[in-house]
Amino acid sequence: MDLFKGIDPAIVEWVIIPALIFFARICDVTLGTLRIVFISKGDKKIAPLLGFLEVLIWLIAITQVMENLSNVASYLAWAGGFAMGNFLGLRVEQKLALGQMVVRVITVEPADKLIERLSGHGYRLTCIDARGTRGKVNLLFLIVKRKKMDEVIGIIRDYNPQAFYSIEDVRSVSEVTIPHEEPSEQTRFRKYFPLRKGK
């Protein structure tokens, strides 16, 4: 290739080309993982864009593999990039913490303190009196932003480490109240420079 003119052909074949395939595969698989996540959330803008970039990078990578079929390093780079791409895609998705989750809590103990604690942190919930195999239980439902899941689980475990809870992904909800959100620039401005309405 003219791009690698002047470089030892052996280094190009066994190091540079496999490295490019490896990193290209990481990129396209990571984008593919994120694309699936956005599709599951019903996103109609970001998912197609990620799909376009994913396929474009994939075509570049597969072209290099097809041009180097006798090179074992290309196959190893392809497989290694695929594995690493899955890992990085999941890590990125966890860091982004996209979407909402529904949390169901079942507790035998009275849930008044738990409700008060969650409400005090700004979470809205629904409590239902139910009956289990061992008698009466309290069933709580919450819709929580995924980035707040650790806080909610911490509150539940602090209230009752034995409480049973389940978490499921939610595609969309009509409204979710997010406690302790960072104030917007406008809110910060008004905090320091309050505006008074005229009489």
Side-chain angles (χ1 to χ4, degrees):
M1 296 176 66
D2 294 338
L3 183 62
F4 304 119
K5 188 176 182 180
I7 304 176
D8 187 344
I11 295 178
V12 174
E13 182 180 0
W14 294 97
V15 178
I16 297 179
I17 295 299
L20 292 176
I21 294 173
F22 178 76
F23 287 113
R25 199 72 178 115
I26 288 177
C27 292
D28 90 79
V29 175
T30 300
L31 290 174
T33 302
L34 294 176
R35 175 181 57 81
I36 293 172
V37 171
F38 280 103
I39 288 176
S40 68
K41 305 296 180 186
D43 191 292
K44 298 179 181 178
K45 296 180 179 179
I46 298 180
L49 177 61
L50 292 177
F52 173 82
L53 295 174
E54 175 193 355
V55 172
L56 181 62
I57 296 173
W58 182 86
L59 285 173
I60 295 173
I62 194 64
T63 299
Q64 294 302 316
V65 172
M66 297 302 293
E67 291 179 353
N68 296 273
L69 291 176
S70 61
N71 189 350
V72 178
S74 297
Y75 296 102
L76 297 177
W78 179 273
F82 180 82
M84 184 60 69
N86 279 285
F87 174 78
L88 289 180
L90 291 173
R91 291 291 295 172
V92 171
E93 192 272 336
Q94 290 173 356
K95 292 294 183 181
L96 292 176
L98 301 170
Q100 301 89 17
M101 311 294 285
V102 58
V103 182
R104 299 182 183 87
V105 185
I106 301 176
T107 175
V108 177
E109 299 180 8
D112 295 340
K113 292 184 179 180
L114 177 58
I115 294 172
E116 182 180 351
R117 181 90 177 271
L118 291 168
S119 299
H121 281 75
Y123 296 103
R124 294 192 294 181
L125 54 88
T126 300
C127 181
I128 301 174
D129 292 329
R131 189 173 187 84
T133 56
R134 299 182 180 179
K136 293 183 178 180
V137 296
N138 296 118
L139 178 59
L140 279 66
F141 292 91
L142 301 88
I143 299 293
V144 182
K145 284 285 187 181
R146 191 172 171 187
K147 60 184 177 181
K148 293 291 183 179
M149 281 304 307
D150 290 341
E151 181 181 58
V152 172
I153 298 305
I155 293 174
I156 296 172
R157 289 179 175 173
D158 184 57
Y159 158 75
N160 181 6
Q162 303 301 321
F164 173 82
Y165 61 87
S166 62
I167 304 170
E168 293 181 18
D169 202 11
V170 176
R171 180 167 180 174
S172 63
V173 295
S174 58
E175 180 184 359
V176 179
T177 300
I178 306 302
H180 307 308
E181 284 289 326
E182 291 294 328
S184 63
E185 293 296 331
Q186 184 178 9
T187 305
R188 290 173 182 157
F189 179 80
R190 290 182 177 179
K191 178 180 179 181
Y192 296 107
F193 303 98
L195 301 177
R196 296 182 180 179
K197 294 182 179 180
K199 295 182 179 179

